[in-house]
Amino acid sequence: MEQALYVYNTLTRKKEVFKPLHAPFVGMYVCGPTVYGDAHLGHARPAITFDIIFRFLQHIGYKVRYVRNITDVGHLEHDADDGEDKIAKKARLEQLEPMEVAQYYTNRFHEAMDALGCLPPSIEPHATGHIIEQQQLVQQILDNGFAYESNGSVYFDVEKYNKVHHYGILSGRNLENVKDASRDLAGVGEKKNQADFALWKAAQPEHIMRWPSPWSDGFPGWHCECTAMGRKYLGSHFDIHGGGMDLVFPHHECEIAQAVASQGDQMVTYWIHNNMITIEGQKMGKSLGNFITLPQFFSGDHPKLDRAYSPMTIRFFILQAHYRSTVDFSNEALLAAEKGLERLLDAWKALNAIVPSENGSVTMDFVDSLKTKCYDAMYDDFNTPIVISNLFDATKTINSIVDKKESISADVLEALKKVFSTFTFDLLGIKQGGASAGNAGGNEAREEAFGKVVDMLLEQRAKAKANKDWATSDMIRDNLAALGFEVKDTKDGFSWKLNK
């Protein structure tokens, strides 16, 4: 932690030096999924972005408590204050209990995150498990005069709050803009103003998910859960709150208002947001119906997909762009990411096959420079594309060593392996063998065994060549080629890769 870490703070709209409130401890809260359907590519981006941040903060010595919630109640259709609960609607359509829907898609989300190489959070609280904490939050806001009851529901009084504090501090919107944007909301009749948002909703008779409260049998508003659970697990003041840029307004703006209205000041120091993944220039999302789920990417089962893509290809595709830039989906971009990932993993495989020389033309200065450039990129707002670019530069040197154009000594080789491994696997979170389409993340042992079988065949081919048994040698090579294996004879033996 000797080097200053710079992070872009959405709240101040600039890069700032990261200074935790209670170093070496860091509290980080990230908005998780609403579990009523499979995660799509848009969900993968924040998961991977904050996985990178989690990995790097731990790597440089911080003790991170990473909290990511599961929304299993209160998120109504179109992110509004009226309409059906997204999970309850899915349950009604499929004739299931709402918690069956939530559990099924929570399990599916975990499987997808594991396939993508995302580390599990320290704590993963569910909204339904924290109804009491949310009710306490609502009561505090009522007691402080920034909320009101209406027909058994409780609404946040944005106009009253704005007279004392600033509603719009995160998004840059003023109250009149918010009112204009809210004119089409259903259910405005219960509110004093269009911009007010629900803290507690009275359940209609047909509403399945409901809890008793001082105001009505009902359920918490969508924004309450993150404020209540962030405070419970990270305290009234913590370091990082993250999520997708689409959550800046209204969700995170409302979170700030709830925190200030309940405790008198803001909870969060650094607000970090990843940008969107677009498809044909439009944000990818369930509400727009233009999304491709992660299982569909892994299987290739979607009309917009030319083929299946591995979880590591998806991860690499996302990491090739800085988290604050927009990424547009296309099959061409994913194929390019797959080729880039293969290039990186081939370099790692080649690096481990190099026989060192007594003296090398590749010096420790080269390794130190690579290490410095990669760290500088990560310390500058987690700039993964620059890290990848530097690793690609290193692959050129690795290939030159393999081709005997350069040489490397044993100590420099070990140092290069360590730097390459640290950034590729530990910090970028790439799994070895991960470019294979259809590999959902749990097949490492099978991949290893598969590789050993190919190596064994090629060793038999090498013996056949040594015995001048050209027919057997050619048969093994041709059969492997028919299966998609590219075999190269090298000065040190052979190398191979699977061309998909």
Side-chain angles (χ1 to χ4, degrees):
M1 292 180 280
E2 294 175 3
Q3 190 170 348
L5 170 61
Y6 286 85
V7 301
Y8 184 86
N9 190 348
T10 308
L11 188 65
T12 60
R13 293 166 182 76
K14 64 182 181 182
K15 284 184 189 177
E16 298 177 0
V17 177
F18 180 65
K19 295 180 179 178
L21 294 168
H22 307 289
F25 300 99
V26 171
M28 180 170 76
Y29 188 101
V30 178
C31 288
T34 301
V35 283
Y36 69 104
D38 277 326
H40 57 67
L41 193 61
H43 296 118
R45 194 167 196 194
I48 291 169
T49 295
F50 291 98
D51 181 63
I52 293 291
I53 293 173
F54 183 36
R55 286 171 181 268
F56 190 65
L57 289 174
Q58 290 186 112
H59 178 75
I60 61 176
Y62 289 114
K63 300 180 187 300
V64 186
R65 178 177 289 175
Y66 172 18
V67 181
R68 184 183 65 205
N69 67 295
I70 296 289
T71 298
D72 52 3
V73 69
H75 197 167
L76 305 187
E77 294 180 285
H78 313 299
D79 300 347
D81 283 336
D82 254 320
E84 207 167 354
D85 182 289
K86 293 182 177 185
I87 292 168
K89 180 179 180 180
K90 184 83 170 182
R92 177 175 57 78
L93 292 174
E94 298 191 6
Q95 295 184 313
L96 297 169
E97 282 287 332
M99 285 300 100
E100 283 184 274
V101 172
Q103 187 65 59
Y104 176 78
Y105 286 111
T106 298
N107 293 344
R108 299 267 292 180
F109 175 74
H110 288 155
E111 289 167 5
M113 293 305 101
D114 183 58
L116 290 170
C118 294
L119 300 174
S122 315
I123 303 172
E124 192 173 58
H126 291 232
T128 53
H130 297 79
I131 300 298
I132 292 172
E133 289 85 354
Q134 293 177 77
Q135 290 180 353
Q136 289 170 340
L137 172 68
V138 174
Q139 190 60 59
Q140 288 170 340
I141 297 172
L142 276 167
D143 292 345
N144 291 338
F146 293 113
Y148 57 91
E149 290 186 59
S150 178
N151 298 328
S153 295
V154 180
Y155 291 97
F156 191 95
D157 194 331
V158 172
E159 193 157 3
K160 189 172 181 181
Y161 172 85
N162 196 56
K163 289 176 182 177
V164 183
H165 306 286
H166 178 197
Y167 184 78
I169 192 170
L170 185 68
S171 62
R173 304 187 185 203
N174 62 47
L175 187 54
E176 289 308 312
N177 294 150
V178 175
K179 285 181 177 179
D180 290 342
S182 304
R183 292 195 191 284
D184 294 331
L185 280 179
V188 169
E190 281 193 345
K191 306 177 184 180
K192 290 181 180 178
N193 296 291
Q194 290 112 328
D196 296 349
F197 58 89
L199 298 172
W200 185 264
K201 285 289 290 181
Q204 298 302 311
E206 67 276 8
H207 203 100
I208 307 170
M209 303 175 81
R210 59 173 69 214
W211 290 263
S213 80
W215 316 290
S216 63
D217 278 7
F219 53 92
W222 172 38
H223 311 301
C224 287
E225 62 178 285
C226 293
T227 306
M229 295 191 296
R231 180 184 291 164
K232 179 178 177 69
Y233 295 109
L234 299 174
S236 57
H237 300 94
F238 58 90
D239 301 299
I240 296 171
H241 195 318
M245 197 171 284
D246 57 329
L247 297 177
V248 170
F249 187 87
H251 187 48
H252 289 165
E253 194 73 74
C254 293
E255 279 195 60
I256 289 177
Q258 289 171 161
V260 174
S262 61
Q263 68 183 37
D265 60 358
Q266 292 195 42
M267 294 171 64
V268 180
T269 308
Y270 304 94
W271 287 87
I272 300 178
H273 294 92
N274 63 273
N275 213 322
M276 299 296 97
I277 290 184
T278 57
I279 181 166
E280 296 168 347
Q282 189 179 37
K283 174 200 161 187
M284 184 180 286
K286 288 180 181 175
S287 59
L288 299 171
N290 65 348
F291 62 93
I292 304 171
T293 69
L294 293 175
Q296 286 171 328
F297 272 105
F298 303 158
S299 68
D301 185 20
H302 190 280
K304 287 191 178 293
L305 295 175
D306 292 344
R307 44 164 298 173
Y309 297 97
S310 76
M312 285 301 104
T313 297
I314 300 297
R315 186 178 181 97
F316 197 72
F317 166 68
I318 288 171
L319 293 178
Q320 280 185 306
H322 190 268
Y323 77 88
R324 288 192 288 112
S325 64
T326 305
V327 175
D328 195 55
F329 156 80
S330 69
N331 282 281
E332 292 75 17
L334 282 169
L335 284 170
E338 184 175 82
K339 292 297 181 187
L341 177 58
E342 282 181 356
R343 180 181 163 198
L344 209 59
L345 293 175
D346 284 348
W348 172 247
K349 186 176 178 182
L351 190 58
N352 282 277
I354 288 172
V355 177
S357 306
E358 192 166 332
N359 296 301
S361 59
V362 178
T363 66
M364 199 66 81
D365 286 344
F366 168 79
V367 179
D368 290 341
S369 175
L370 172 65
K371 181 179 177 180
T372 297
K373 286 186 285 188
C374 287
Y375 272 118
D376 284 348
M378 288 301 290
Y379 274 102
D380 183 16
D381 199 26
F382 317 103
N383 203 327
T384 57
I386 299 298
V387 173
I388 291 170
S389 174
N390 287 316
L391 291 172
F392 278 156
D393 286 343
T395 65
K396 297 174 186 175
T397 300
I398 293 166
N399 291 333
S400 291
I401 298 169
V402 170
D403 294 339
K404 306 298 184 183
K405 295 174 183 175
E406 300 264 19
S407 58
I408 190 168
S409 63
D411 59 333
V412 177
L413 178 60
E414 286 308 306
L416 181 54
K417 284 181 184 178
K418 184 175 180 182
V419 172
F420 204 94
S421 175
T422 294
F423 285 95
T424 304
F425 305 121
D426 298 346
L427 295 180
L428 295 183
I430 300 299
K431 295 179 182 178
Q432 296 184 50
S436 304
N439 175 17
N443 299 328
E444 286 84 359
R446 190 171 68 185
E447 291 285 321
E448 184 180 356
F450 164 80
K452 286 179 179 177
V453 169
V454 177
D455 287 342
M456 182 176 67
L457 278 171
L458 289 174
E459 284 164 7
Q460 293 301 314
R461 177 174 177 264
K463 288 178 182 177
K465 284 180 67 177
N467 295 329
K468 301 188 185 306
D469 182 358
W470 309 119
T472 300
S473 169
D474 291 347
M475 181 189 70
I476 293 172
R477 182 199 62 205
D478 293 345
N479 285 344
L480 284 172
L483 293 170
F485 292 92
E486 180 183 334
V487 177
K488 285 185 179 179
D489 292 312
T490 68
K491 292 178 181 178
D492 298 317
F494 58 81
S495 68
W496 62 269
K497 68 177 180 177
L498 178 59
N499 292 321
K500 291 161 287 298

